[in-house]
Amino acid sequence: MKMETEIKKSNQLKPNPSPLLRVTGLKRYFDVSKPLLNRLLEGKPRMILKAVNGVDFEIAKGQTFALVGESGCGKSTVANLVVGLHAPTEGAIEFDGIDMASVTSRARMERLRRRMAMIFQDPYASLNPRWRVAAIVSEPVRAFNLLKGTKAISRRTDELLVQVGLSPADGEKYPHEFSGGQRQRISIARALASEPDFIVCDEPTSALDVSVQAQILNLMRDLQKEFDLSYLFISHDLAVVRHMANQVGVMYLGLLCETAPADVIFDNPLHPYTRLLLETIPDVEMTGRKTAPVAGEIPNPIDPPSGCAFHPRCPLANERCRRERPELKMEKESERVACHAVEENRLEG
Amino acid sequence: MTEPILKVEHLRVEFNTRRGVLVAIDDISFNVMPGEVFGIVGESGAGKSLTGQAIIGLLEPPGRIGAGRIFLNGQRIDQLPYSEMRRIRGKKIGMIFQDPLTSLNPLYTIGKQLIETILTHSDMSAQQARQHAITLLDEVGIPAAEKRISHYPHQFSGGMRQRVVIALALCVNPSLIIADEPTTALDVSIQAQIITLLKRLCTDYDTAIILITHDMGVIAEISDRVAVMYAGRLIEVGNVREIVKTPQHPYAQGLMDSIPSLHHQAEQLTQIDGSMPRLTEIPTGCAFHPRCPHSFDRCRHQRPDLMETKSTRVACWLNENGN
């Protein structure tokens, strides 16, 4: 048993020669300046929001990579970039060895797109209220021309609905007839319809109650095993991430500040921000403990602090942190951390 | 033995609809002691927010209190006329809502809103009220309160706005604050700050807090006692430690088990199959019986009341013999 877990661990640590998804130097800037005339009259400068400012990670086949962080840290922008809902300002996204930017023909792009799907946060906004569930679920099948004939399509729709724990009869209903958890099941069925290898899940359970959340998370893990799916899992809930992820990346103001296998990051977090996140989560298993919340708020991403973006809230910040932005460096064998304090061994404990 | 600050007896909240009377809250009773944090937890649709609205007299029609009595410091408050209830709100009961942006008026500075509230409920002079407002802002941790008092709500971040709302609720030293999902709209690190603040104020001012939330973690962090609601009923009431560590009701057990843990990775999360019944189709007997793994014949026909057990009070027939 122990050996098994060790083998599992060593597999996780090995750098994967050909990951399913590789993101390198990914950047996305948004121009949030006022209109030209206002800028001229009021003498205001151009304002650039660096939502994602250089992010690298890899996702191996059949694995889950989770991005965590507080609101405004750029995790949803990364999700949108990966599926192509935004074009990157800089950097490359490689899917199964193919650089997405190099694909120019529409047909080839469509073949790649079929292999990716997305599940959104709000199951009320992401389903068309005027379509029947069967039409919603079978849309990817029709859009990619995967099956011919209404009979074959409806058979596939029934199969998908059963896979996510609904009944074929539910296909005749409209989304408003379902509860939040059931709607999220419909979203999952739609995501599975094109038989993807890779699903981007943007806060899939944050709109759900805990008992329903447990149902959806269990379903997602079962489907992952069954179809060998890879997930990019975006969440602000660290407990959910611990349950789902093999690898975790923590984001702060558009940058990854720590990435490591899930066990490592939860048992031995290095970056002061990761430690803060883990300490501040209300925890049912620690009822009655004394907490010392960290002061300060998330800075405005339009005007991030100099040096390390976290330095105004960091208990370990020194002169260097204020001046110099830390690079994401390999620390130990599997953990990458962007922190001067870690590099200089200034962490206590 | 101190008297409870709030006594709720057999409260029932109903909605008249075209399809008949819907019972959203069905016969719940509880006490809140001075200076304690009383948590009400449950999933969406359990009736926890309605309970808060009923206490403070802000039920939206067609919702109304169908039966039961509510006492604040021994005074019955559920039948008071609107004008008298208005004086109690703000002066004796403060309220903190989920979304700090909608509970502040965007057209007035926070100073004006604070001072107005103070003047309405006390006989301070305008000058004293201003000074009091600055003290309050300072108290809830807003830096440079003197300057910030003349700012508008949009100039504050979410966490700071929630602090202003807390200052508003504290204006006239209420003996009870009802906080309805006060941290749900906030990020975790900010949430931790607000929770610590609430807990400190509760001790400093000896104010009781009714904390309504769906987040067991928040409840575990600051509550003294907890009530778990399901389909408009209280199914378990007890000390936070017992409810979190050894819940007795099958629903409370399922709820606690379905929370993913930070400390270890489980292969499967425990799930409660099905979902909370709609108000139109609440099952007979125990409302949880169709989803309950231990249900037996009696559960289907007869509704259990809260019964004493060794640790908590539980509404479940399994505990009838004190097991």
Side-chain angles (χ1 to χ4, degrees):
Chain A
M1 190 60 206
K2 203 182 161 200
M3 227 170 77
E4 245 179 59
T5 51
E6 265 175 26
I7 291 170
K8 221 171 104 194
K9 264 204 180 131
S10 65
N11 278 349
Q12 276 180 356
L13 303 189
K14 223 185 288 166
N16 199 311
S18 59
L20 185 68
L21 183 88
R22 178 183 283 146
V23 168
T24 36
L26 190 65
K27 290 185 184 176
R28 171 70 206 201
Y29 296 167
F30 293 102
D31 190 341
V32 290
S33 328
K34 289 199 165 169
L36 177 68
L37 191 61
N38 290 55
R39 288 209 304 275
L40 289 176
L41 292 177
E42 296 162 19
K44 293 256 169 74
R46 251 184 190 287
M47 297 226 275
I48 303 292
L49 172 67
K50 296 177 176 173
V52 179
N53 198 11
V55 164
D56 314 76
F57 61 88
E58 289 177 357
I59 306 177
K61 184 127 191 69
Q63 301 268 299
T64 302
F65 180 83
L67 275 179
V68 291
E70 296 180 279
S71 40
C73 72
K75 52 192 194 305
S76 289
T77 311
V78 170
N80 290 343
L81 285 165
V82 167
V83 290
L85 290 176
H86 287 315
T89 308
E90 227 177 88
I93 301 165
E94 265 175 61
F95 185 75
D96 209 3
I98 305 162
D99 184 356
M100 297 289 280
S102 73
V103 181
T104 42
S105 103
R106 205 191 147 98
R108 275 189 65 202
M109 195 64 187
E110 215 163 75
R111 275 206 295 280
L112 277 181
R113 280 278 166 77
R114 183 196 64 74
R115 301 175 54 193
M116 309 177 174
M118 188 155 181
I119 301 168
F120 296 91
Q121 172 173 3
D122 185 350
Y124 293 86
S126 56
L127 302 175
N128 188 334
R130 289 162 183 267
W131 284 19
R132 287 183 199 274
V133 168
I136 294 173
V137 170
S138 64
E139 195 190 9
V141 178
R142 285 177 281 118
F144 292 116
N145 264 324
L146 299 179
L147 288 172
K148 294 264 179 298
T150 38
K151 258 222 183 100
I153 292 179
S154 92
R155 214 175 310 126
R156 172 77 179 133
T157 311
D158 292 352
E159 183 188 296
L160 285 162
L161 288 173
V162 172
Q163 267 167 3
V164 297
L166 297 170
S167 86
D170 288 331
E172 286 307 304
K173 297 184 187 163
Y174 287 96
H176 75 260
E177 295 172 66
F178 294 89
S179 68
Q182 287 172 318
R183 283 171 197 235
Q184 211 54 312
R185 287 177 193 268
I186 298 170
S187 296
I188 294 171
R190 173 175 61 185
L192 292 174
S194 60
E195 295 169 46
D197 314 308
F198 175 58
I199 300 184
V200 175
C201 321
D202 190 359
E203 304 259 15
T205 60
S206 58
L208 307 176
D209 280 318
V210 276
S211 72
V212 182
Q213 164 173 290
Q215 295 173 5
I216 297 294
L217 293 179
N218 282 341
L219 173 68
M220 287 178 65
R221 283 192 46 162
D222 292 345
L223 293 170
Q224 177 166 41
K225 258 183 250 155
E226 194 176 340
F227 299 110
D228 201 18
L229 295 168
S230 309
Y231 289 139
L232 171 59
F233 193 91
I234 313 277
S235 179
H236 68 276
D237 186 335
L238 283 155
V240 169
V241 163
R242 162 126 233 198
H243 182 67
M244 294 295 290
N246 306 100
Q247 286 276 332
V248 179
V250 181
M251 278 188 84
Y252 190 73
L253 280 185
L255 287 165
L256 275 175
C257 57
E258 180 162 8
T259 148
D263 310 349
V264 178
I265 213 163
F266 282 99
D267 294 340
N268 183 24
L270 288 178
H271 197 284
Y273 179 61
T274 317
R275 292 179 163 201
L276 173 149
L277 279 182
L278 282 169
E279 271 161 30
T280 49
I281 312 173
D283 189 344
V284 285
E285 286 167 48
M286 312 264 261
T287 174
R289 70 173 169 172
K290 287 271 173 289
T291 45
V294 170
E297 307 203 357
I298 306 155
N300 186 346
I302 293 176
D303 182 23
S306 63
C308 170
F310 186 60
H311 85 251
R313 302 173 76 188
C314 181
L316 304 171
N318 66 7
E319 197 42 51
R320 186 176 172 207
C321 302
R322 280 181 272 278
R323 247 183 313 115
E324 194 183 324
R325 187 172 119 185
E327 294 293 322
L328 203 57
K329 283 203 187 92
M330 208 63 168
E331 218 26 75
K332 301 189 187 154
E333 43 211 319
S334 55
E335 205 160 1
R336 290 191 300 154
V337 186
C339 179
H340 293 313
V342 172
E343 195 190 318
E344 294 163 7
N345 262 327
R346 284 193 280 120
L347 281 188
E348 81 270 13
Chain B
M1 188 72 195
T2 39
E3 277 296 298
I5 190 144
L6 181 82
K7 252 177 20 192
V8 176
E9 290 177 352
H10 306 290
L11 177 69
R12 178 183 166 100
V13 173
E14 304 171 335
F15 286 83
N16 284 346
T17 66
R18 268 179 291 173
R19 283 188 230 153
V21 178
L22 291 183
V23 182
I25 292 177
D26 195 0
D27 192 10
I28 66 171
S29 308
F30 59 88
N31 293 338
V32 180
M33 306 307 279
E36 83 169 340
V37 180
F38 184 77
I40 299 181
V41 69
E43 300 184 278
S44 16
K48 42 189 202 309
S49 290
L50 277 178
T51 308
Q53 288 166 13
I55 293 168
I56 202 170
L58 285 178
L59 278 177
E60 300 255 346
R64 63 187 163 81
I65 295 178
R69 299 184 295 176
I70 302 171
F71 295 93
L72 181 75
N73 283 327
Q75 182 195 3
R76 187 159 177 195
I77 57 167
D78 56 296
Q79 291 177 320
L80 290 180
Y82 187 81
S83 58
E84 260 175 74
M85 196 58 212
R86 218 186 132 173
R87 230 172 301 149
I88 286 181
R89 278 197 292 269
K91 190 158 189 174
K92 294 190 177 152
I93 310 180
M95 182 96 196
I96 301 168
F97 295 95
Q98 172 173 354
D99 184 357
L101 195 54
T102 48
S103 38
L104 292 170
N105 189 329
L107 297 179
Y108 294 110
T109 63
I110 59 154
K112 187 167 165 66
Q113 299 182 48
L114 279 164
I115 292 165
E116 188 188 348
T117 316
I118 297 168
L119 290 177
T120 315
H121 294 291
S122 72
D123 40 17
M124 285 188 204
S125 72
Q127 197 52 43
Q128 283 171 320
R130 189 186 154 79
Q131 207 45 53
H132 186 51
I134 292 172
T135 322
L136 278 170
L137 287 178
D138 207 37
E139 186 74 2
V140 296
I142 290 182
E146 197 105 8
K147 198 173 117 215
R148 294 292 263 174
I149 194 167
S150 51
H151 283 183
Y152 289 88
H154 75 264
Q155 291 168 296
F156 291 83
S157 66
M160 284 296 158
R161 260 183 230 135
Q162 198 60 296
R163 287 170 196 266
V164 174
V165 174
I166 293 173
L168 261 174
L170 283 174
C171 263
V172 268
N173 257 331
S175 37
L176 175 69
I177 290 181
I178 299 176
D180 190 355
E181 305 267 8
T183 59
T184 307
L186 307 174
D187 278 314
V188 276
S189 63
I190 310 298
Q191 165 170 294
Q193 295 172 1
I194 299 291
I195 290 177
T196 318
L197 172 68
L198 279 176
K199 185 82 188 166
R200 181 171 61 85
L201 294 173
C202 182
T203 337
D204 289 0
Y205 287 72
D206 204 24
T207 307
I209 297 181
I210 296 183
L211 180 73
I212 299 168
T213 178
H214 68 280
D215 190 336
M216 263 330 275
V218 173
I219 291 274
E221 200 89 19
I222 69 165
S223 300
D224 301 309
R225 286 191 308 133
V226 186
V228 185
M229 284 191 82
Y230 182 79
R233 302 164 185 197
L234 288 185
I235 54 127
E236 186 159 0
V237 183
N239 287 328
V240 63
R241 190 161 278 277
E242 270 94 40
I243 298 259
V244 168
K245 304 261 183 205
T246 51
Q248 301 295 314
H249 195 283
Y251 173 70
Q253 286 167 1
L255 196 63
M256 292 307 305
D257 287 344
S258 61
I259 303 171
S261 166
L262 265 180
H263 305 284
H264 45 84
Q265 197 178 19
E267 195 50 40
Q268 279 269 315
L269 292 172
T270 316
Q271 60 182 56
I272 313 173
D273 289 320
S275 52
M276 180 132 35
R278 294 179 187 201
L279 288 181
T280 44
E281 43 207 45
I282 290 183
T284 56
C286 169
F288 186 61
H289 85 252
R291 299 173 73 190
C292 181
H294 313 291
S295 69
F296 49 97
D297 202 41
R298 189 172 186 185
C299 307
R300 286 181 271 280
H301 304 300
Q302 202 177 349
R303 179 181 160 183
D305 284 321
L306 284 175
M307 292 173 255
E308 292 289 342
T309 68
K310 277 178 221 128
S311 50
T312 57
R313 289 193 298 140
V314 186
C316 178
W317 290 124
L318 289 174
N319 292 287
E320 196 187 13
N321 307 320
N323 300 322

